[in-house]
Amino acid sequence: MSEHSDSPLCVLILAAGKGTRMKSSLAKVLHPLGAKPLLWHVIESAKTLNPAQIIVVYGHEGQALQAAFNNENITWVHQVAQQGTGDAVKSALPFIKDEHQVCILYGDVPLIQPQTLARLIAKTSQNTMGLLTANVDNPKGLGRIIRNAKQQVLRIVEEKDADELERAITEINTGIFLLQATSLKRWIAKLTNHNAQQEYYLTDIVQFAVEENVIVNTIYPQDLHEIMGINDKSQLAQLERYYQRQQAEKLMQAGVTMADPNRFDLRGSLQIERDVFIDVNSVFEGENQLGEGCHIGPNCMLINCKLGKGVVILANSHLEDAVVGDFSRIGPFARLRPGAQLGQNTHIGNYVEIKNATIGEGSKINHLSYIGDTLMGKDVNIGAGTITCNYDGANKHQTIIEDEVHIGSDTQLIAPIRVGKGATIGAGSTLNKDVPSYQLTLTHRLEPRSSDWQRPRKHKPLEDGK
Ligand code: UD1
Ligand code: CA
């Protein structure tokens, strides 16, 4: 057998199917898998082959599709009416150069692996056709591979056109082909729709190849998930779980300890150092970084966060666009909103919300507080229920809390305001002026109004006759 073809590669991705069974107004190939569109996964795999051209055949939602991939160098082809896979390829033919070798992929088969495609390319010469097939337990609905006694591929028969014997075959067509553009063009021109579905079947090109004595070379994928197509939400969920498990597997290989890799979701990228522990049901979105020895408790959500060494995030915390310094302790039930910048050894406790605020080293906000638009120094202690009133209804104002300030419970700081170094604020204070350093400041201390005041008592029920 000769070497692989030296022709430049054209990847042709079919994505014109309507996706009716998704029951959604979103184009099928834009549904997310690991937070990226199905089609994105196919394009990423295709790009590893350094193709000269990538063509996507679409049928619906052309604008949404092109907008989702406007950074990619893609030739978009509109298949006006969906008359079958052969017709989809036909619509792309005018854009395919004769000297190219064409690899046909599907926009709704997202997990096709680069290694499998590379193997297909390596095994397919200029004069042969490459075909990815698989042996499956339940071939229902799929095209079957018909071979002769010498095990050479003769043709593909669709389920609806197959007789009983053919339907018993478990080797199926994945739909992924590799062949020279000139051959493809010649064979597509010969297609008819004289079949059970009155569609133009791409699969008929196999028998045209055989008629011209072109050998059809088959290879198998490494894993059946690679060739799984998405038609409905159930299949989407199934593949999502598989994909997440693969990501978890990679992270565990890199040293992460997981309480349960089946209850882990990564929707983006996760950079980790040694000895990270991740408890169940945490979701990582966007780009997150976890330093050495970080501990992520159950049910946490992290979106674009950077955690230093030894950071502990306790259960049910929500962190977004936050930076957390080494050995800090967050949660349970804490919320870090965008712009939260925490120094080392900070403590953020339950029902505390931090937004656009810098919290200095060793400062503690342990209970029920809102700290927004704030610059806080080191070793500050914020009592329960303290609120920075940063919003006057029109504009946001800044609060500055200098080092070693101690704020009593239920304090409102009406911004703009500065609390001087080492100040102590008595519980229940509402302050709208700068607070002096190293002094006790407090407001609203109530004095008894009169000494003969009595607490109201319940009336006794009236007795009869009175
Ligand atoms: C096709 C194959 C079948 C194979 C199966 C694998 C044909 C005739 N049959 O089945 O042998 O086992 O895939 O999943 O090729 N598409 C278009 N335009 C169309 C029709 C389809 O772009 O007019 C696209 C779809 O978006 C999808 C792909 O082609 O990505 C396959 O279409 P689908 O209807 O799912 O497959 P079948 O034709 O049933
Ligand atoms: Ca079909």
Side-chain angles (χ1 to χ4, degrees):
M1 187 73 50
S2 55
E3 298 289 297
H4 66 88
S5 161
D6 288 327
S7 310
L9 185 70
C10 168
V11 175
L12 174 57
I13 303 173
L14 306 189
K18 220 176 176 166
T20 318
R21 280 180 280 164
M22 296 299 273
K23 308 254 165 70
S24 167
S25 38
L26 185 66
K28 175 157 84 167
V29 295
L30 289 185
H31 280 269
L33 181 81
K36 299 280 191 187
L38 297 177
L39 181 56
W40 178 89
H41 292 271
V42 183
I43 291 170
E44 287 304 300
S45 258
K47 287 202 297 201
T48 64
L49 308 170
N50 292 317
Q53 189 182 19
I54 298 178
I55 302 176
V56 176
V57 179
Y58 69 93
H60 313 269
E61 309 293 327
Q63 271 187 341
L65 278 172
Q66 291 176 41
F69 296 96
N70 64 354
N71 293 326
E72 305 284 350
N73 188 7
I74 291 171
T75 307
W76 295 93
V77 175
H78 187 209
Q79 183 193 13
V80 180
Q82 282 69 60
Q83 301 182 73
T85 48
D87 179 66
V89 172
K90 189 178 177 188
S91 60
L93 291 183
F95 303 92
I96 298 177
K97 295 197 177 72
D98 283 348
E99 66 270 25
H100 281 185
Q101 192 188 33
V102 184
C103 179
I104 299 173
L105 302 177
Y106 297 85
D108 55 1
V109 181
L111 294 186
I112 184 67
Q113 293 303 300
Q115 307 87 284
T116 299
L117 295 175
R119 247 188 321 126
L120 186 65
I121 288 170
K123 284 196 70 178
T124 307
S125 69
Q126 194 98 14
N127 313 311
T128 62
M129 177 195 278
L131 177 61
L132 191 66
T133 73
N135 277 299
V136 298
D137 292 337
N138 178 15
K140 198 163 183 293
L142 298 167
R144 309 296 207 281
I145 307 295
I146 311 293
R147 293 179 184 264
N148 64 14
K150 291 187 201 155
Q151 293 305 305
Q152 291 164 322
V153 175
L154 295 182
R155 59 193 172 89
I156 296 173
V157 62
E158 290 305 298
E159 163 112 0
K160 287 189 175 135
D161 301 284
D163 62 30
E164 212 172 317
L165 274 178
E166 290 167 336
R167 278 202 296 271
I169 295 171
T170 55
E171 188 186 8
I172 58 95
N173 169 34
T174 66
I176 293 172
F177 288 83
L178 181 69
L179 70 167
Q180 290 301 130
T182 45
S183 308
L184 180 66
K185 289 180 179 183
R186 195 166 62 249
W187 297 330
I188 289 290
K190 290 168 72 175
L191 294 180
T192 68
N193 64 351
H194 304 149
N195 52 54
Q197 303 184 77
Q198 297 188 327
E199 279 183 9
Y200 295 89
Y201 291 166
L202 171 63
T203 44
D204 286 347
I205 65 172
V206 171
Q207 98 202 36
F208 300 150
V210 171
E211 281 164 17
E212 291 184 19
N213 295 317
V214 170
I215 290 181
V216 181
N217 244 322
T218 58
I219 71 153
Y220 296 138
Q222 224 142 17
D223 188 297
L224 289 178
H225 290 95
E226 286 187 52
I227 55 153
M228 193 175 150
I230 305 289
N231 293 303
D232 57 32
K233 297 286 171 67
S234 168
Q235 291 170 333
L236 182 62
Q238 211 182 319
L239 220 50
E240 176 77 25
R241 276 306 101 210
Y242 170 77
Y243 183 72
Q244 290 300 347
R245 180 67 207 225
Q246 295 288 98
Q247 296 196 120
E249 219 46 67
K250 278 184 205 155
L251 285 163
M252 290 188 293
Q253 293 309 322
V256 173
T257 304
M258 285 192 184
D260 182 357
N262 292 318
R263 285 180 288 169
F264 166 77
D265 285 84
L266 172 55
R267 303 172 188 158
S269 68
L270 185 58
Q271 271 189 50
I272 48 111
E273 281 171 42
R274 265 169 187 269
D275 295 320
V276 164
F277 172 79
I278 300 175
D279 214 325
V280 299
N281 292 334
S282 282
V283 177
F284 297 84
E285 222 174 81
E287 286 164 24
N288 287 290
Q289 285 180 43
L290 307 181
E292 187 175 335
C294 274
H295 177 114
I296 311 295
N299 306 320
C300 291
M301 174 114 200
L302 273 76
I303 308 165
N304 300 322
C305 290
K306 190 174 172 205
L307 276 45
K309 271 188 281 199
V311 170
V312 177
I313 311 288
L314 296 168
N316 302 301
S317 295
H318 190 283
L319 287 68
E320 180 174 7
D321 292 323
V323 177
V324 181
D326 297 349
F327 307 109
S328 291
R329 190 184 166 90
I330 315 293
F333 295 98
R335 181 166 184 211
L336 302 185
R337 290 175 53 201
Q341 303 242 14
L342 280 48
Q344 296 187 13
N345 284 306
T346 54
H347 286 190
I348 307 297
N350 39 241
Y351 310 109
V352 171
E353 176 180 342
I354 310 275
K355 187 217 72 173
N356 188 31
T358 300
I359 309 296
E361 191 180 328
S363 289
K364 297 186 172 79
I365 311 158
N366 275 328
H367 333 265
L368 300 153
S369 288
Y370 171 64
I371 304 295
D373 302 309
T374 295
L375 195 58
M376 188 184 295
K378 294 182 193 168
D379 298 318
V380 169
N381 196 306
I382 304 282
T386 294
I387 292 169
T388 55
C389 310
N390 60 331
Y391 187 51
D392 60 14
N395 297 298
K396 302 273 170 70
H397 302 281
Q398 200 183 36
T399 298
I400 295 172
I401 301 171
E402 295 182 354
D403 294 350
E404 292 156 38
V405 163
H406 191 108
I407 297 182
S409 299
D410 192 25
T411 293
Q412 291 89 54
L413 300 169
I414 301 173
I417 188 169
R418 173 187 289 267
V419 183
K421 185 172 179 182
T424 300
I425 297 176
S429 295
T430 301
L431 301 162
N432 62 353
K433 289 200 182 69
D434 287 0
V435 176
S437 298
Y438 300 111
Q439 283 183 29
L440 172 65
T441 299
L442 44 79
T443 64
H444 283 295
R445 278 295 137 101
L446 296 179
E447 299 302 328
R449 287 210 192 156
S450 69
S451 49
D452 57 359
W453 180 85
Q454 284 192 331
R455 189 185 272 189
R457 296 208 189 114
K458 272 191 179 168
H459 295 294
K460 286 203 174 121
L462 291 178
E463 285 166 31
D464 280 353
K466 284 197 174 169

